[in-house]
């Protein structure tokens, strides 16, 4: 493969022309022949046994060209971009096969690449880390959560239902005197005050006793399902049973039942330490966010829109994967929340904006500081992935290229460098002073401050795939002499 030309067409877009040498293309044609020969019938030969020369003489030398191009194309694109010193951020566009034949293949395409980046100051960035304190009330609240998780429901018959009780009911709903779909259930367990039913439903059950049969009137919210939104409804209710929650006493016996500790003091000490660790983690995350905001504020780059779209796509895929693991589809989620896909995607845009800009800025820091991972660093990262996903290291290496691991480690080293050279003070971050506006002056232009993403460590970003050329029929096929 040789790069014939790489000319700038517009910002971050280049017109690239590539030549695949005759020997490389000949090897690909032979692979295509070996792959397809079992499906080829030639008179006088058993199926799949005809020599390549006979097949080409019968069907034409170009019979294997398309498959051969598919074989050489991805590697040729990758090699060309590497030689040109650019990184693709989207599949090549406007692919055209210029010529193909015994002399090799010439093709051209438009490449959208990573932008040129400039950054401002990245040493001595300022951040504030909140002082960590654990209040006794926070520990007590965790104890109450333990009590709640270990509570039991007990039937009560000497009083009416109230908030916090669990009631077992039959109900059937009517709109305009007609029963509606989904408005009926028997022996349904409902916790009063949970807010799981429409406003007014749970409140009207409170005050009734076991065995009561009664009706309640409610109005469906305006943002409910279209067929019921805003409509008045009547529900017939039969209250079978009332149960109240009984919480265990907090003493050493309780502690032994719910934990590995022997005394309440030991449990409280452990809870306090866990809360402290959680707050430390949160405070560290806040510091990271502040430093990234400062770093990105000094970024100068004309970033291709496709980079933001790629990041939004990844967030959507991750969200959909989590939904699927819980037995829900993305389509069902959108229907349930009343969102369309465009609005749903827009929810990821601000995060994508910061993540794309943040990574570009960190890559520049790594470049300027010469932050390069060692072979030992790469091996350690492979082992970490293997341990995390309970896989063999060699299997991980087949899934994630070493180049992607190195890229990700460069980002990690850049983050560590910025933190090591940052000016982090203890205390709350000062509130930004509101700009003084003069009514007689024109309003100042608003600047949108961007926040960082979710802070989670991501798997190494994959390089933009080189899709198969879509314009093979435009090729100028050279006939064998």
């Amino acid at each position: 493969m040789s790069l014939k030309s790489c000319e700038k067409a517009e910002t971050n877009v280049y017109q690239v022309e590539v030549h695949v040498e005759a020997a490389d293309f000949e090897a690909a044609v032979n692979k295509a022949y070996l792959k397809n020969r079992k499906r080829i019938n030639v008179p006088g030969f058993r199926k799949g046994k005809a020599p390549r020369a006979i097949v080409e003489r019968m069907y034409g030398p170009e019979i294997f060209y398309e498959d051969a191009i598919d074989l050489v194309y991805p590697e040729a694109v990758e090699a060309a971009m590497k030689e040109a010193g650019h990184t693709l951020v989207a599949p090549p566009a406007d692919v055209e096969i210029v010529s193909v034949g015994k002399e090799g293949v010439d093709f051209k395409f438009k490449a959208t690449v990573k932008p040129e980046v400039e950054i401002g100051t990245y040493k001595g960035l300022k951040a504030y880390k909140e002082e960590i304190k654990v209040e006794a009330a926070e520990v007590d609240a965790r104890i109450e959560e333990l009590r709640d998780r270990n509570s039991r429901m007990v039937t009560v018959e000497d009083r009416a239902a109230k908030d916090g009780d669990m009631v077992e009911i039959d109900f059937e709903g009517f709109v305009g005197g007609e029963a509606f779909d989904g408005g009926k259930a028997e022996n349904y367990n409902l916790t009063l005050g949970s807010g799981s039913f429409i406003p007014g439903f749970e409140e009207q059950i409170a005050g009734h006793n076991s065995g009561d049969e009664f009706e309640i009137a409610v109005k469906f919210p305006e943002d409910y399902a279209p067929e019921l939104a805003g409509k008045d409804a009547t529900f017939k209710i039969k209250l079978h049973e009332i149960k109240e929650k009984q919480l265990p006493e907090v003493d050493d016996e309780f502690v032994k039942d719910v934990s590995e500790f022997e005394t309440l003091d030991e449990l409280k000490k452990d809870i306090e330490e866990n809360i402290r660790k959680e707050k430390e983690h949160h405070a560290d995350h806040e510091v990271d966010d502040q430093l990234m905001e400062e770093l990105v504020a000094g970024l100068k780059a004309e970033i291709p829109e496709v980079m933001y779209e790629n990041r939004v796509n990844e967030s959507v895929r991750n969200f959909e994967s989590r939904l699927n693991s819980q037995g829900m589809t993305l389509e069902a989620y959108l229907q349930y929340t009343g969102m369309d896909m465009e609005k749903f995607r827009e929810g990821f845009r601000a995060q994508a904006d910061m993540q794309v800009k943040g990574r570009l800025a960190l890559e520049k820091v790594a470049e300027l500081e010469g932050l390069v991972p060692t072979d030992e660093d790469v091996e350690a990262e492979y082992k970490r992935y293997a341990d995390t996903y309970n896989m063999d290291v060699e299997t991980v290496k087949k899934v994630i290229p070493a180049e992607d691991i190195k890229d990700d480690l460069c980002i990690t080293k850049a983050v560590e460098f910025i933190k090591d050279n940052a000016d982090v003070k203890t205390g709350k971050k000062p509130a930004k002073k509101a700009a003084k506006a003069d009514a007689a002056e024109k309003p100042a232009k608003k600047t949108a401050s961007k926040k960082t993403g979710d802070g989670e460590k991501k798997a190494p970003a994959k390089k933009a795939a080189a899709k198969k050329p879509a314009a093979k029929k435009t090729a100028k096929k050279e006939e064998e002499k």
Side-chain angles (χ1 to χ4, degrees):
M1 191 287 303
S2 61
L3 177 66
K4 294 184 70 174
S5 64
C6 182
E7 299 178 358
K8 191 169 186 177
E10 54 188 282
T11 303
N12 301 315
V13 178
Y14 288 80
Q15 182 70 51
V16 182
E17 188 165 357
V18 181
H19 174 67
V20 178
E21 283 78 5
D24 294 330
F25 188 59
E26 166 60 22
V29 170
N30 199 54
K31 284 183 181 179
Y33 157 70
L34 295 173
K35 174 185 174 183
N36 291 287
R37 63 180 177 178
K38 292 182 180 179
R39 298 187 283 108
I40 299 175
N41 283 314
V42 175
F45 293 90
R46 284 185 296 160
K47 189 175 181 178
K49 296 298 182 179
R52 175 183 155 190
I54 299 297
V55 175
E56 290 179 334
R57 189 177 304 148
M58 183 172 183
Y59 293 100
E62 68 276 7
I63 182 174
F64 301 117
Y65 282 0
E66 185 168 334
D67 284 343
I69 290 172
D70 287 346
L71 291 171
V72 299
Y73 174 78
E75 186 176 341
V77 169
E78 183 177 350
M81 298 314 299
K82 186 174 182 179
E83 185 176 340
H86 295 295
T87 302
L88 280 173
V89 296
D94 299 337
V95 180
E96 179 184 347
I97 308 301
V98 178
S99 65
V100 56
K102 294 176 66 175
E103 301 303 315
V105 182
D106 288 297
F107 66 92
K108 59 184 179 180
F109 59 89
K110 281 188 177 180
T112 302
V113 302
K114 277 187 178 180
E116 296 180 3
V117 170
E118 294 180 17
I119 55 174
T121 300
Y122 57 89
K123 295 179 183 178
L125 297 179
K126 298 185 184 300
Y128 292 83
K129 182 175 180 179
E130 193 167 346
E131 186 177 357
I132 306 301
K133 293 180 181 178
V134 181
E135 303 292 343
E138 296 175 278
V139 177
D140 291 341
R142 296 289 177 93
I143 296 289
E144 285 303 305
E145 290 174 9
L146 274 175
R147 291 183 73 201
D148 188 71
R149 288 201 297 270
N150 289 275
S151 63
R152 62 193 185 100
M153 302 304 293
V154 179
T155 300
V156 295
E157 298 178 347
D158 58 348
R159 64 169 176 79
K162 63 180 182 179
D163 269 6
D165 288 341
M166 178 183 286
V167 294
E168 182 182 313
I169 59 173
D170 297 341
F171 64 84
E172 185 173 14
F174 300 85
V175 172
E178 297 290 332
F180 56 87
D181 290 341
K184 182 178 181 179
E186 294 181 352
N187 304 115
Y188 187 91
N189 289 317
L190 172 65
T191 299
L192 301 185
S194 65
S196 54
F197 273 41
I198 61 175
F201 189 98
E202 297 169 26
E203 293 86 341
Q204 295 182 67
I205 293 177
H208 288 279
N209 294 283
S210 298
D212 285 358
E213 294 186 38
F214 52 95
E215 292 186 0
I216 62 175
V218 296
K219 186 181 183 68
F220 282 100
E222 296 294 338
D223 58 354
Y224 206 75
E227 62 272 17
L228 294 173
K231 293 183 178 180
D232 293 319
T234 299
F235 281 86
K236 293 181 178 180
I237 309 290
K238 182 174 182 179
L239 202 167
H240 293 295
E241 188 177 27
I242 302 169
K243 293 182 180 180
E244 68 177 2
K245 184 181 294 183
Q246 283 192 354
L247 299 173
E249 292 295 326
V250 179
D251 52 25
D252 290 347
E253 290 305 313
F254 166 74
V255 170
K256 291 174 185 177
D257 287 341
V258 301
S259 74
E260 66 210 58
F261 302 104
E262 296 292 321
T263 68
L264 181 58
D265 286 341
E266 290 175 341
L267 177 61
K268 285 187 174 182
K269 184 176 181 181
D270 182 69
I271 291 175
E272 180 181 354
E273 185 60 28
N274 287 334
I275 294 175
R276 189 179 304 280
K277 288 179 180 178
E278 292 169 10
K279 289 190 171 186
E280 281 283 354
H281 178 76
H282 179 74
D284 288 339
H285 183 72
E286 288 294 316
V287 168
D288 291 348
D289 284 354
Q290 292 174 50
L291 294 176
M292 284 303 299
E293 285 180 2
E294 277 211 69
L295 178 66
V296 167
L299 177 72
K300 293 181 180 178
E302 294 185 58
I303 302 173
E305 179 63 25
V306 68
M307 294 186 71
Y308 299 120
E309 288 298 310
N310 289 343
R311 191 63 192 85
V312 170
N313 290 340
E314 184 178 344
S315 295
V316 170
R317 286 194 299 270
N318 290 341
F319 190 91
E320 184 173 17
S321 178
R322 291 194 294 272
L323 284 178
N324 292 341
S325 69
Q326 297 168 13
M328 179 180 282
T329 64
L330 179 57
E331 291 75 16
Y333 174 82
L334 293 177
Q335 185 176 10
Y336 180 77
T337 57
M339 282 194 293
D340 58 23
M341 180 58 77
E342 183 179 355
K343 183 178 179 182
F344 175 70
R345 289 176 59 84
E346 185 61 30
F348 292 105
R349 179 58 196 234
Q351 175 180 291
D353 185 277
M354 176 54 75
Q355 288 172 337
V356 169
K357 291 178 178 178
R359 189 172 183 95
L360 287 172
L362 289 169
E363 286 174 347
K364 192 64 177 180
V365 171
E367 175 192 330
L368 295 173
E369 292 297 327
L371 304 175
V372 180
T374 64
D375 292 341
E376 290 76 14
D377 292 334
V378 174
E379 286 300 317
E381 187 70 354
Y382 270 127
K383 186 177 185 307
R384 188 185 70 79
Y385 272 104
D387 292 343
T388 300
Y389 297 103
N390 196 26
M391 297 170 64
D392 180 78
V393 172
E394 294 306 314
T395 302
V396 177
K397 288 183 178 181
K398 292 177 183 177
V399 176
I400 307 176
E403 199 62 36
D404 291 344
I405 292 285
K406 290 177 182 178
D407 289 346
D408 206 48
L409 286 174
C410 282
I411 297 300
T412 300
K413 286 181 176 291
V415 170
E416 292 171 351
F417 180 88
I418 288 171
K419 291 171 72 172
D420 289 344
N421 290 274
D423 178 13
V424 181
K425 293 180 169 57
T426 301
K428 289 187 176 182
K429 181 181 178 181
K432 291 183 178 179
K433 294 181 179 179
K436 293 181 180 179
D438 188 330
E441 296 179 358
K442 294 182 180 180
K445 292 183 179 179
K446 295 181 179 179
T447 57
S449 63
K450 308 295 183 183
K451 292 191 176 181
T452 56
D454 51 19
E456 62 182 333
K457 178 155 178 151
K458 304 295 182 185
K462 304 300 181 188
K463 296 177 182 176
K467 290 186 178 179
K468 295 178 182 178
K472 295 194 181 77
K473 63 183 180 182
T474 64
K476 301 174 184 175
K477 297 179 180 177
E478 299 176 4
E479 300 294 329
E480 289 188 342
K481 305 296 182 184

